[in-house]
Amino acid sequence: MKYGTISTGSIEASSAAEEILKFGGNAFDAAVSAVLVSMTSEFALTGAFGGGVLLGVENNSNPFVYDFFVDSPHKFNSQNEFSSIDVDFGSTLQSFNIGKGSIAVPGTIAGLLEVHKNHGKLPLSDIIKPAIDCANNGVVTSNYQAYILSLIHPILSYSSSIKKLFFQDNKLIQKGQTFKNPAFGDFLQLLSKNGADYFYKGEGLNTILHFLGTNSNLTKNDFIDYKVTKKNAIGLDFKEHTIYTNPSPSHGGTLILFLLKLIQDSNVNNVDIFHLIKGMNLASLARQEVCIDPDNEHDISKILNDSIYNKHTQLFNNTDSLDFADGVNGFGSTTHVSIMDRFDNAVSITTTNGEGCGYAIPEYGIMMNNMLGEEELNPFGFHKWNKKRRLPTMVSPIIIMENSKPKFVLGSGGSNRIRSANVQVILNLLIENLDLQEAISKPRIHLEGNTLFHEPLISIPNKHINNMNINSFNDKNLFFGGVNAVSKYSAVGDERRGGCGIIC
């Protein structure tokens, strides 16, 4: 590479990152710019008032994490608006909750600008410009984005404010039609001029609070008190590499390392489909066992304690029958950006808007998140928090190091499938020694409760699955995540979610 390797969820986002790298920016500049562009090119997957996590390496230093995922509010409003809708994947139907009562305290804008301030090279105005151009000039709706929009049609038709953005001639935007969002362009101009505090503490917050009215759980203090947190990454030595990801209160990263450690410490010579199924199930069971306190953000860390981990290692090695964990719903309106640059920086960043709340803030062209309505993020039930806390996301950006230098940068969208997608790609890379394209393209499975979902060309074992339901997909599907990944010499976007890789 001359400038860097880039993989994002859309050609527009990847092209913006390429422009920033060629203009002298680094991987952090390029990642922030790509995510901001994605808010137009992948409107249904990420947004300014959602949440996310960035995992970064600067000049071959130790990996660090910026956690800007969403928080629960301080208080519960019994008058909040909370509505259930269904999303039909064709092979499975899942229910979600939207409305203003589903909105959690957002973190994405605060997080992106904090990252840029601490690690970027170029002025913020240069970083934001591609996103402004994209919002004002519009993007041609791809086949993949049209499919996503059709899936969440009930959300995009929920209110007149959101219909104004996504319906043309009273019909939902179709493939080949141009989606423009000039109000979002105006928002980005304000962001470039005034910074994130304008929307968390300043005049811009008044617009948000007016939009929320009396039907949400959010108050002025929820925005004022929001904090981006920087912390050390957690890691696992695995097959002569070190795998880094984000720690608690996120659940995804810890569960991924738990499963990989089970596989590494087992007496299994070849990891087949049944071992993978068993490991996925044991990780879910361990999560259920330790995550019992809604007020403890870091419960998930206990699964790596010797007493918990050793018990599940024995089950992995000695048990052939499956006592299944509970399953949860999750669509996975999430997207991922992976970038390496010529300055030896690496960035892995996953952002999400949930499925969206079903309303657009007219002045900003933004649909806020519905994280308080996602079952996966609310394991104790909806609106059951007792104090303000960060919600337990499955978002888990990954950087794989070899000889203390980044070798692979990857991550996925896909709600609860994020961890299964990431794990399978890691195993494909480090155990099967597949190249990046093959590792991502290879068919995947996902275990949810006692149901095994799988793509074509997967051979399902006949033994020990009498009490397991099988849900077979006819084609590769976005249901199984979207892993966008780079190495120093390759860049691959997942075909399942319209990903785009660029080497520049």
Side-chain angles (χ1 to χ4, degrees), residues 403-438:
N403 299 323
S404 300
K405 294 185 177 182
K407 183 176 181 180
F408 299 110
V409 180
L410 63 119
S412 178
S415 187
N416 205 28
R417 278 92 61 200
I418 289 175
R419 57 186 172 117
S420 59
N422 281 342
V423 162
Q424 287 169 90
V425 171
I426 291 169
L427 294 176
N428 292 342
L429 289 170
L430 302 188
I431 290 184
E432 297 194 28
N433 295 313
L434 300 181
D435 64 34
L436 206 55
Q437 179 68 60
E438 294 171 323

Side-chain angles (χ1 to χ4, degrees), residues 6 14-25 126 129-130 133:
I6 302 158
S14 290
S15 296
E18 179 183 18
E19 178 182 340
I20 293 297
L21 290 181
K22 288 183 175 179
F23 195 62
D126 291 340
K129 185 179 183 301
D133 292 342

